Amino acid sequence: MPPKKKNQASEDDGLSKAAKFGRVKNTLTMGFVGLPNVGKSSLTNLLAGAAHAEAANYPFCTIDPNVVQCIVPDKNFKYLADTWKPPSVVPAALKVTDIAGLIKGASEGAGLGNAFLSHIAAVDGIYHLIRGFDSDEVIHVDDSVDPIRDLETIQGELCAKDSATLEGVVEREKERVRKEKGLSRSATNFSLSEDFTNAYEKCTKLISSNSPIQTGDFSVGEIEIIKDWGMITTKPQIYVVNLSQKNFIRKGSKWLPKINEWVKGHGGGQIIPVSCEFEQNVFDLKDDAESQKSFLAQCKEEALAAGLKGPQAEVRSMVPRLIRAGRQALCLQSFYTAGPKEVRSWTIMKGTLAPQAAGVIHTDFERGFIKAEVCAFEDFKALHAGQASMAKVKENGKYRQEGKNYVMQDGDIVVFMHNTTTGKKK
């Protein structure tokens, strides 16, 4: 595998750092956060492949968080499905929540303020959607387009909410220590732990500079303490910039360099330019392959006319990248089960051991785990010789047995061996 590009490696490191604060679950959720009318509902619809959310041009059109399941694009899974051709094919999915728009003052109750902030608190990762297009038909809550001002507004509201949470953290910790030591409520002759003090000071400094907590450097002990505080800005963030179709095709906008500079100055993060206008046009032609192909060819001609060359002139949907980036931000990966009856992709967190992965299929599999018979996808693809079988893989010594300490790898094809017996009645 070729080494990662420097920018990609730093993005991965940042997302992994943020994921340390997250819940350990296989069913995690990304949520779209942004001002009203920046394209959250439209993009949620497009990610899901259907009009699940009411995409209307007025503030607060999404009052309750709208949750959709987005099929994870996975060429390896498709290869397995095409090889076995079973009656049942179940791909992996990413859960995405469309959260209604925040406005300035939300942390103090403005707009639909605190309700929205609680919806943000309930998701595990954030797509921070920013408007980077001009349109007289789509109103802006602040009457003009300025992505930097919008970034400051949203980040400021999230940090303000965390700042309010921090205000009660010290007193709660003091109460916990008093109770643990059997001291009276008025006692002050004790000190808080070094990890707690360091975590509190680092968080306060980050929040006061309008930077997410997840961008800071913390020890393992500090992270465990911060997890209990319920801070919104510990969640991994992906910055998504909604451009006009014209700017998306020519891969340029006066706002992109400014947005990049702002993100760098606030702890860094992954930035993905998209265009809801372009994505909608592609989606609307999904049932007419020739027309869709013609539309994409026309877009490429526009890109060439704008001076782009080679791969830069290719214009593709960003929906697959958005879904994959969301899974990566949540540190999720897939393993496969494949056979004549079903090919299925199962979602687990990175670092999951074989018995826990077996438990995703059924709790009995984890309880009675014996071993995992494992084949890497790339080995199967290289060796199976067109057969819907592991025979050739076994002949070449690439089908192996793993025990309870095996760390599952992304793309493993697995059969779990288990033995569960019901205890005899006494």
Side-chain angles (χ1 to χ4, degrees), residues 251 300 303-304 308-316:
K251 296 178 173 61
K300 183 175 181 178
L304 291 168
L308 299 179
K309 298 178 181 179
Q312 280 288 309
E314 296 295 333
V315 186
R316 297 186 181 89

Side-chain angles (χ1 to χ4, degrees), residues 365-385:
F365 287 20
E366 179 177 359
R367 184 161 56 91
F369 178 86
I370 299 173
K371 63 182 178 180
E373 296 182 349
V374 185
C375 166
F377 172 81
E378 293 301 333
D379 288 336
F380 173 79
K381 184 177 180 180
L383 299 170
H384 76 107

